[in-house]
Amino acid sequence: QVQLVESGGGLVQPGGSLRLSCATSGLHFRDYYMSWYRRAPGKERELVAGITGGGRTNYVASVEGRFTISRDNAKETIYLQMNSLKLEDTAVYYCKASQMGRPIYYGQGTQVTVSS
């Protein structure tokens, strides 16, 4: 059974930092492209950052230079280090596992609230 479990969300002031984690099980983890999505109130879900099994990364322009995605293949876990957080980063953050020809998996999400 595949599981993706996010953690690390919370309430933070503008300019602050948070580190999200997504622990997985039941996957051939190294084969999966892993990504973080977010859904803000009243907005569509958007891709925030992604990382291949080999470590290549991509980011949405709005977080470039502030967020860093990483993965630990031994722990089958991905991370999202979020620095210089802004009010508009408030959202539920989900991790996603995808591989061509395989089902797509999402975690249950973790709430990030940036507020003064």
Side-chain angles (χ1 to χ4, degrees):
Q1 182 180 0
V2 175
Q3 287 191 310
L4 282 67
V5 181
E6 300 98 335
S7 60
L11 174 64
V12 64
Q13 292 186 338
S17 298
L18 283 175
R19 188 193 195 207
L20 306 183
S21 300
C22 173
T24 76
S25 60
L27 295 172
H28 288 179
F29 183 76
R30 290 174 185 270
D31 295 338
Y32 277 78
Y33 172 79
M34 299 297 299
S35 52
W36 287 97
Y37 277 73
R38 66 185 179 188
R39 176 172 281 157
K43 294 188 176 181
E44 296 290 320
R45 185 174 60 193
E46 69 168 347
L47 173 65
V48 176
I51 186 167
T52 67
R56 280 190 305 167
T57 60
N58 60 284
Y59 299 91
V60 68
S62 60
V63 308
E64 189 87 47
R66 299 188 298 121
F67 291 10
T68 302
I69 188 171
S70 61
R71 66 190 293 158
D72 185 330
N73 286 338
K75 294 182 178 179
E76 301 186 336
T77 299
I78 65 167
Y79 306 95
L80 187 67
Q81 178 66 44
M82 304 186 295
N83 299 328
S84 303
L85 282 160
K86 303 177 180 180
L87 297 175
E88 53 265 38
D89 294 318
T90 295
V92 178
Y93 285 71
Y94 303 87
C95 66
K96 174 184 173 182
S98 56
Q99 183 188 10
M100 192 172 295
R102 297 277 187 175
I104 294 171
Y105 302 100
Y106 284 95
Q108 82 288 350
T110 186
Q111 176 70 47
V112 171
T113 302
V114 185
S115 175
S116 55

